[in-house]
Amino acid sequence: MYICKLKKYKKDISLLLVIAGSFFISLLHTNPVFSQDINKNTEQENSTNISYITPKKAEGLIISSIDLVGNNRTNDDVIEDNIELKEQNIFTVEKLKISLQNLKNLQVFSKIDVKLSLNKNNQIIIVFELDEKWTLLPYFLAGSGGGTSYLVLGLYETNFIGRLYTFNFTYGCKNDNCSTFVYFRNPSVLGSRFNLVNYMTREHNIFHTYNKNREVTGTFANKRDMLNLFTDIKITPTLFLGFGALYLKNDITDDGINSSDTLTNKKNSYNSPPSSSSVALEGRLTLGKINYDGMKVDGVNFVSILDTTAESYKAQNDNYTSLNSTLQFYHPNINLGLFTIPLPRLSYLAIRSNISVTSSDVLSQQYFIGGLDKIRGFYDGEFSGKFSYFSNFELRIPSYVNDYFAIQHALFSDVGYASNTFPDMFSNYTGVSVGTGIRILPLKVNRVALRIDCAYTLNPFHTYGFNFGLLQFF
């Protein structure tokens, strides 16, 4: 099936490979794997008889200069925007700690060292020695989860043109239906407190509805076009407020529905949802902060997104108001209140919880949750409705770590459900699963985690399911 699909879209795939090759060749002269910054290395080699001091001894002294070494791709000004210490200001240990954590949170450096020394005027010379990760990733991925198989080709870059821009282009087929995704993020527009995100998709997905016995009761195809443009404004390091707009066009067809599902639709006199098209205003709230340090992750982050058409359309099917809220929590220990369970080195607890609500009675604008990306072990989109929630709990423990890759094991539990009323979300049919998985983490490549998970469902039935991916599940 995939071979036929690849032949059908060989022109698109050829263009993608040409783009990937062009990116790779253009970076041969700039990536630290292939080149060296001769001037900076020469300056370091000529610096002899330097007397280094500790941050504690540097406390309260004036900063003479701040130098960056090893950032062959990342622009100096982008890094400097994340450093709290400034030339001709007073040095403090606290600002150094904040600066180091800010640089680690960029996730584009595999190693960060700081050296402090004194000049003849008893002022501080600060040198940040940086080792950059490989951030451009042309990828090919085939996998499955929740009864759905997928094939993906894409380009993923988290330090585009050395400005920390994130760019992702994906062309993927889920079962026999293909979609295109384009994502771009500028984390700081002109060095300001504003970020800018543009997310565009053209999707072709097949959705099923199920009864309590996991039997398909109806099937429809949705050819969805989406454009989401928004900005978040940094109020404090742990508070962002944002606004934007969301365009959605749901074109409901029978294109891609197999003959078996077509017969089921006829047998059950199934009525597909109507098509819809709308532009909604978007408001965003982000609280908290997640800190990264190599494999270690620590912190809490809450994001709430409100989209509304404000009843501005005559056709009621085009109107909706939705609220989508997600909490992520990471901690190196398990805190049970009265006592704390310490975890092995580089291990941590990871939790994700989401609750979503929409006013729309149109099924294509409601929520489908299942085994591909929400609750492992279940069919993809097995539960659907106006109200949904899911939570994922993972204990991630590495068994082997060196300078280049790590092997990480995961014990997890997922829970979730969707329904058309709020009380029914917590019914006896709530999906619950447990399982284990393994991840291979290339430490010199940004954010990649080759992941395999096996889940066993505990409720409302018992079965097994496998899930594969190129990133952490969340």
Side-chain angles (χ1 to χ4, degrees):
M1 177 178 65
Y2 289 136
I3 294 175
C4 294
K5 184 59 64 179
L6 284 172
K7 288 182 178 178
K8 182 177 179 181
Y9 294 95
K10 63 182 180 180
K11 291 184 178 180
D12 294 356
I13 295 172
S14 298
L15 177 60
L16 181 62
L17 293 176
V18 170
I19 294 173
S22 300
F23 267 96
F24 182 76
I25 292 171
S26 67
L27 292 173
L28 287 179
H29 302 289
T30 58
N31 193 278
V33 175
F34 302 103
S35 65
Q36 297 293 326
D37 190 326
I38 297 175
N39 292 333
K40 289 186 177 180
N41 287 343
T42 303
E43 290 173 2
Q44 287 299 104
E45 290 170 0
N46 291 337
S47 299
T48 58
N49 300 322
I50 297 176
S51 178
Y52 295 108
I53 63 173
T54 64
K56 185 175 181 180
K57 289 185 178 180
E59 183 82 30
L61 299 179
I62 299 296
I63 301 171
S64 172
S65 63
I66 300 176
D67 298 319
L68 306 174
V69 176
N71 55 311
N72 301 307
R73 285 193 57 216
T74 312
N75 292 348
D76 284 0
D77 64 306
V78 173
I79 299 174
E80 290 165 356
D81 288 341
N82 290 276
I83 296 176
E84 293 289 319
L85 300 164
K86 304 299 178 185
E87 293 181 357
Q88 302 307 312
N89 286 357
I90 294 176
F91 176 91
T92 67
V93 174
E94 182 61 27
K95 285 187 176 182
L96 176 61
K97 290 180 179 178
I98 295 173
S99 300
L100 283 172
Q101 190 59 64
N102 288 345
L103 295 179
K104 292 175 182 178
N105 289 345
L106 299 179
Q107 299 186 71
V108 297
F109 303 115
S110 60
K111 185 178 180 181
I112 304 172
D113 288 328
V114 179
K115 292 183 178 179
L116 308 177
S117 60
L118 293 175
N119 65 11
K120 61 182 180 181
N121 296 321
N122 204 39
Q123 294 182 339
I124 303 298
I125 299 173
I126 305 176
V127 178
F128 286 87
E129 296 182 349
L130 309 169
D131 185 6
E132 293 180 313
K133 293 181 181 179
W134 177 258
T135 57
L136 175 65
L137 182 65
Y139 58 89
F140 170 86
L141 180 65
S144 66
T148 297
S149 298
Y150 59 89
L151 175 70
V152 174
L153 294 172
L155 278 172
Y156 183 49
E157 166 66 287
T158 54
N159 193 11
F160 186 53
I161 64 174
R163 304 293 306 176
L164 300 177
Y165 301 154
T166 297
F167 173 79
N168 186 27
F169 173 83
T170 300
Y171 179 80
C173 298
K174 188 158 63 172
N175 287 341
D176 213 20
N177 306 290
C178 297
S179 304
T180 303
F181 304 84
V182 179
Y183 175 87
F184 176 81
R185 178 177 183 268
N186 181 347
S188 179
V189 179
L190 300 176
S192 69
R193 292 175 174 262
F194 292 79
N195 67 21
L196 181 65
V197 177
N198 188 1
Y199 186 34
M200 299 177 289
T201 71
R202 170 159 285 185
E203 303 175 64
H204 183 190
N205 290 316
I206 305 298
F207 293 91
H208 304 284
T209 56
Y210 298 86
N211 60 22
K212 303 303 182 183
N213 296 320
R214 306 189 83 193
E215 298 169 336
V216 175
T217 59
T219 303
F220 68 92
N222 187 0
K223 292 184 175 181
R224 167 179 283 188
D225 292 336
M226 186 197 78
L227 174 61
N228 190 195
L229 181 65
F230 65 87
T231 182
D232 290 311
I233 308 166
K234 181 179 179 180
I235 309 301
T236 72
T238 58
L239 171 62
F240 289 78
L241 297 177
F243 60 91
L246 174 64
Y247 167 74
L248 280 177
K249 180 183 178 182
N250 296 301
D251 183 15
I252 308 302
T253 72
D254 57 4
D255 186 13
I257 299 177
N258 63 40
S259 57
S260 175
D261 289 331
T262 300
L263 289 174
T264 300
N265 284 350
K266 291 180 179 180
K267 177 182 177 181
N268 296 334
S269 299
Y270 180 76
N271 293 320
S272 297
S275 298
S276 61
S277 178
S278 60
V279 176
L281 298 178
E282 184 168 282
R284 304 173 62 87
L285 169 67
T286 303
L287 297 170
K289 184 179 181 181
I290 296 176
N291 290 323
Y292 299 86
D293 187 0
M295 290 181 57
K296 294 187 295 184
V297 188
D298 189 11
V300 61
N301 177 256
F302 173 79
V303 179
S304 187
I305 304 171
L306 175 69
D307 292 302
T308 182
T309 59
E311 298 295 318
S312 58
Y313 292 94
K314 292 182 180 180
Q316 191 58 37
N317 290 335
D318 295 333
N319 289 310
Y320 71 94
T321 296
S322 65
L323 181 64
N324 186 316
S325 299
T326 303
L327 175 72
Q328 288 185 297
F329 174 82
Y330 303 88
H331 202 273
N333 298 308
I334 301 177
N335 192 336
L336 300 178
L338 296 178
F339 61 94
T340 297
I341 302 176
L343 296 176
R345 179 176 174 269
L346 300 179
S347 303
Y348 59 93
L349 174 69
I351 299 174
R352 177 180 66 167
S353 294
N354 172 278
I355 185 167
S356 298
V357 180
T358 182
S359 64
S360 179
D361 292 320
V362 180
L363 185 59
S364 59
Q365 295 178 351
Q366 296 175 6
Y367 304 103
F368 287 76
I369 65 172
L372 187 62
D373 59 352
K374 303 293 191 304
I375 43 177
R376 286 160 285 195
F378 295 87
Y379 292 153
D380 183 32
E382 181 160 351
F383 308 113
S384 61
K386 297 171 63 174
F387 300 84
S388 78
Y389 81 97
F390 64 88
S391 292
N392 314 109
F393 306 85
E394 284 196 1
L395 187 59
R396 299 172 182 170
I397 303 174
S399 61
Y400 178 81
V401 181
N402 65 22
D403 290 339
Y404 299 97
F405 76 95
I407 299 175
Q408 185 184 69
H409 305 269
L411 300 174
F412 64 82
S413 178
D414 300 336
V415 58
Y417 195 61
S419 65
N420 284 319
T421 64
F422 185 79
D424 285 344
M425 279 204 304
F426 307 97
S427 71
N428 293 332
Y429 293 99
T430 296
V432 181
S433 66
V434 295
T436 184
I438 188 170
R439 292 93 168 91
I440 299 176
L441 312 174
L443 302 180
K444 299 291 185 179
V445 180
N446 192 26
R447 302 188 185 183
V448 172
L450 303 176
R451 175 178 56 83
I452 302 175
D453 291 329
C454 177
Y456 178 71
T457 61
L458 300 178
N459 193 70
F461 42 77
H462 301 287
T463 187
Y464 288 94
F466 290 90
N467 192 287
F468 308 93
L470 190 63
L471 303 171
Q472 293 280 14
F473 193 65
F474 62 93

